[in-house]
Structures are given as structure tokens and as C-alpha cells.
Amino acid sequence: MKILITGGAGFIGSNFIHYWAKNHLEDEIVNVDVLTYAGNLENLKDVESLKNYKFIKIDIAQKDEVEKVISSEKPDVIVSFAAESHVDRSILGPEEFVRTNVLGTFNLLEAARQNGNIRFHHVSTDEVFGSLGPNDDPFNEATPYDPRSPYSASKASSDHLVRSYFHTFNLPITISNCSNNYGPYMFPEKLMPLFITNLIEDKKIPLYGDGMNVRDWLWVEDHCRAIDLILQKGKIGETYCVGGATEKTNKEITYKILELMKKGEESIEFVADRKGHDKRYAIDFSKIKNELSWEPQVDFSDGMKMIVDWYQKNQVWWKAVKSGVYADYYKKNYENRN
Ligand code: NAD
Ligand code: TYD
């Protein structure tokens, strides 16, 4: 089988390629990515010399580039991760989010339809469902969409488009809406790797607002396994909510990182809140549990040890990333927050 992965040079995409190469030795893997600030071929050093792996640089927002790659590669399956993925960046500059997440997904769907109705899995987020109150039930597949950031609105739009191609054109699609992932190769603009790397550099860690916003956390390989199961056994046209059963406030995450890194709370700097900051995300993943026998395998305390350890051992990787284009973004996002 030939699997074409978009956004495979990013955080989850590169973990997925490692996972696929390890678990599906016979398959051909084609990774298409434009290599934005978040795309990094260093994430794929372990697989780049494999005979069954190939990288092609294209921009999914360019229709002709997408059509050319899909029609020449003729994949059996497309798994689409490519997106602008960071909420704070979507507040600073929303346009790129509409371009890649909406137009880019549209181009992929069109190419999949025009080239023999290719099996298409769309990787999405729980953020499309909006923000929960402390006592609300977790999101599930029937929760109405209520996105509140340009990031989540653009992902919601892409989900709707993907579903429309199933109903209108019979494109064999599935969608997964997953909670916050954590693990290796996570770009150090996101909460966990930013805090871990700042602490290694003896810098302060900027906690937004009162630190009481809640996220549900899932070890990235558990997410990869969920997508694999959906591809093998998922029902065409369906959506699956994927979560970690690990709801934590940002304060809890912060204190866990401080404890593991033997640092004190004087490292915390409370800074102005994110605009429109969603209060709480939580996932009811009983559908994928009951239908596909999927459950998270990595528990939170093991996962936290593994992520801290990874960033301690891979300083060359993240120091290169942090000293590059990231520095400008950091200045824009964090200056004048206090
Ligand atoms: P990421 O930002 O680390 O990686 C995105 C990748 O897409 C990068 O390699 C980038 O170069 C590529 N890309 C961006 N624009 C492109 C374009 N126009 N053409 C081709 N490639 C392009 O993101 P991530 O955290 O790995 O997330 C991957 C997917 O999973 C996204 O669709 C995101 O919405 C979804 N998701 C992420 C999380 C999370 O916690 N990170 C949770 C649930 C769902
Ligand atoms: P993030 O990692 O950006 O993921 P998302 O917004 O997609 O959930 O943020 C996770 C949580 O951490 C979110 O509630 C915002 C908060 N946060 C901070 O408090 N400080 C920071 O510097 C960052 C990047 C995030």
C-alpha cells in the first residue's frame, strides 16, 4: 500500500511517519510538506534513508502542485496533518490559517476525488467544539461545532468540507478530533516544550491568565495508533473523538514540570491572558473505545517523564529551532504581556 501523508515534517506528522515505518514495513510512505517554520526534516532523520520513504516539497494551498503530486504518486490512502496549528499565531496572523487549513484541505479533497476517490483521513482537533464550563459533559462526536479562535474556525471549516465530500461525492473519508498531544518533536512554541526548554535555559515560564484553563493531554504515539485503527477498521464517513482521559489545568502541568526539573515556583511569570482563551477541553472517547477497542496506553506521569527527558536529551534539536525564526514570533507574542 502507498500512504501519502501531508504535514509529515511537523510534530504529529513526523511521529506518525516514525510509527508507520515501524508498524507497516511493507508500505510506501510519501511525505508532502512545504516546510513552514513548524516543518523540520531533522524530525525525520531516522527514516530518510529508508527505500520505502520519500519526501516531496509542496504547498497544499497551490492547487496545481497538489494535483500534480496526487496524480503522479497515485496513493491508496491520504492522511492529512498539514495545517497551521498554533492558536497564538492565529491571533497574530489569521490569514495563513484560512489559506492552508481551508483552501489547502479543499485542494487535497479535490485531488482525491479527481484521482479515483482516494481514501482520505483528516486529522482534526477538539478545539472545533469550543469551550466547556467546569461541569459540562466532555465533547463527543455529536457535540455542535462552536469554534472560537481563527485556528479552530479554520479547522472546523475544513472538517465541514471533508464531510461534504463524503455526502456529495462519496469520497471515502474519516475524521479524527483529538485533544492536546504531547511528545517528541513538539515545536517549542506550545506550552509543554516551551516551559521545559525555558527552564533548561534558566528563563521564566509565561503562564497565561490565572493558569486555570484545562486541557486534555494525549501521548502522541497513542494518537498515531488511533489513526491507524481508524484507517484499518473505521467506518467510512464517520468521525472519531480521540482523547487522553487526562484533564489538567495549565497550573498542574506547570507544577509537574517544575517538580520533574527540580525548579521552584519563582520561575513562573503570570502574563496577560490569551485573547478568547478557551476555558476547558475534554473528550468522551467511548465511540473509538467501543467500536475500535482503542484506549490511551501511556499514562500522564510516565508521559511527563518521557517528554522532559526527551527535551533534556535533544537540546541540539530544539536549540536550533528556538534560535531561528521562532525568536521573532516569541518577541511578538510575549512582549508587552505584562
Ligand atoms: P505542526 O504545526 O507541528 O505541523 C504542521 C506541518 O504542516 C508542518 O510540517 C508544516 O510545514 C506543514 N504545513 C503547514 N502549511 C502547509 C502547506 N500550506 N502545505 C504543506 N505543508 C504545510 O502541527 P501538529 O501539531 O503536528 O498538528 C498536525 C495536525 O494535527 C494539524 O492538522 C492539527 O490541527 C492537528 N491536531 C494537533 C493537535 C496538537 O496537540 N498539536 C491536537 C489535535 C489535532
Ligand atoms: P498550547 O500549547 O498553545 O495549546 P492549545 O492552545 O492548542 O491548547 O496551550 C496549551 C495551554 O497552555 C493553553 O490553555 C494556553 C496555555 N499557555 C500558557 O499558559 N503559556 C504559554 O506560553 C503557552 C504557549 C500556552
Side-chain angles (χ1 to χ4, degrees):
M1 185 181 89
K2 187 188 268 194
I3 184 166
L4 185 141
I5 291 155
T6 77
F11 161 47
I12 309 178
S14 62
N15 276 283
F16 186 76
I17 289 176
H18 285 125
Y19 169 92
W20 206 267
K22 200 165 68 191
N23 291 287
H24 300 273
L25 298 174
E26 304 300 315
D27 288 353
E28 272 182 78
I29 301 170
V30 181
N31 174 16
V32 303
D33 197 303
V34 77
L35 302 180
T36 64
Y37 77 94
N40 185 353
L41 292 178
E42 292 293 316
N43 301 1
L44 294 157
K45 282 275 164 223
D46 303 352
V47 293
E48 67 182 10
S49 59
L50 295 179
K51 278 203 201 73
N52 57 339
Y53 169 78
K54 171 151 94 179
F55 171 69
I56 304 173
K57 186 170 173 183
I58 63 151
D59 179 353
I60 61 162
Q62 298 287 346
K63 192 170 187 171
D64 49 340
E65 293 182 20
V66 174
E67 169 56 29
K68 200 169 145 206
V69 164
I70 305 288
S71 58
S72 59
E73 289 298 323
K74 299 187 182 18
D76 300 294
V77 177
I78 298 172
V79 180
S80 192
F81 295 90
E84 287 295 332
S85 70
H86 191 43
V87 175
D88 291 321
R89 285 184 192 256
S90 82
I91 296 166
L92 292 169
E95 191 169 344
E96 212 44 39
F97 286 71
V98 175
R99 189 180 168 274
T100 289
N101 301 0
V102 185
L103 186 60
T105 304
F106 165 72
N107 289 337
L108 290 165
L109 289 166
E110 269 298 292
R113 170 168 95 92
Q114 304 291 352
N115 288 279
N117 256 12
I118 300 168
R119 173 81 172 88
F120 190 94
H121 182 77
H122 180 62
V123 180
S124 193
T125 166
D126 59 356
E127 304 195 22
V128 297
F129 299 121
S131 180
L132 293 169
N135 300 315
D136 290 341
D137 288 339
F139 304 130
N140 64 34
E141 291 77 6
T143 305
Y145 276 36
D146 185 21
R148 294 152 41 102
S149 73
Y151 164 63
S152 51
S154 65
K155 290 296 292 187
S157 312
S158 64
D159 292 10
H160 291 318
L161 271 174
V162 173
R163 242 173 246 123
S164 80
Y165 270 63
F166 168 69
H167 292 294
T168 309
F169 302 116
N170 262 328
L171 191 74
I173 65 100
T174 42
I175 299 177
S176 48
N177 292 94
C178 187
S179 58
N180 288 53
N181 285 213
Y182 68 114
Y185 304 111
M186 196 174 183
F187 197 87
E189 65 189 349
K190 304 270 164 91
L191 176 76
M192 286 191 192
L194 178 70
F195 282 18
I196 296 166
T197 59
N198 273 13
L199 289 170
I200 296 174
E201 295 177 306
D202 271 330
K203 290 184 183 154
K204 295 269 189 198
I205 51 177
L207 198 50
Y208 295 166
D210 60 5
M212 293 310 286
N213 299 63
V214 174
R215 299 290 181 266
D216 172 53
W217 294 93
L218 179 71
W219 184 253
V220 62
E221 204 175 332
D222 278 330
H223 185 191
C224 296
R225 203 166 36 80
I227 297 170
D228 188 359
L229 277 171
I230 295 168
L231 288 173
Q232 314 292 336
K233 298 198 269 175
K235 204 162 149 221
I236 297 302
E238 297 277 313
T239 291
Y240 294 87
C241 281
V242 181
T246 304
E247 278 188 61
K248 301 283 173 199
T249 64
N250 295 334
K251 247 186 173 168
E252 286 174 294
I253 298 290
T254 303
Y255 278 91
K256 185 75 195 164
I257 292 173
L258 288 171
E259 177 202 315
L260 288 167
M261 298 188 67
K262 302 190 173 44
K263 294 274 190 174
E265 58 186 358
E266 65 285 355
S267 296
I268 302 174
E269 185 176 21
F270 283 93
V271 298
D273 210 352
R274 174 184 279 172
K275 290 190 176 80
H277 196 172
D278 288 345
K279 196 71 198 159
R280 174 176 165 240
Y281 306 140
I283 289 265
D284 169 359
F285 57 85
S286 25
K287 177 174 172 181
I288 189 166
K289 183 175 175 189
N290 295 336
E291 291 183 14
L292 307 183
S293 303
W294 176 91
E295 270 189 290
Q297 286 179 353
V298 174
D299 84 10
F300 178 69
S301 90
D302 290 342
M304 288 305 296
K305 280 190 207 131
M306 292 196 286
I307 189 171
V308 169
D309 189 52
W310 194 87
Y311 282 86
Q312 278 168 334
K313 289 194 174 127
N314 289 276
Q315 299 200 20
V316 173
W317 180 86
W318 61 259
K319 281 187 176 153
V321 170
K322 259 187 145 177
S323 64
V325 283
Y326 175 74
D328 281 345
Y329 159 76
Y330 191 84
K331 206 159 161 264
K332 266 197 224 138
N333 189 41
Y334 292 95
E335 75 183 359
N336 304 324
R337 269 195 183 263
N338 281 311

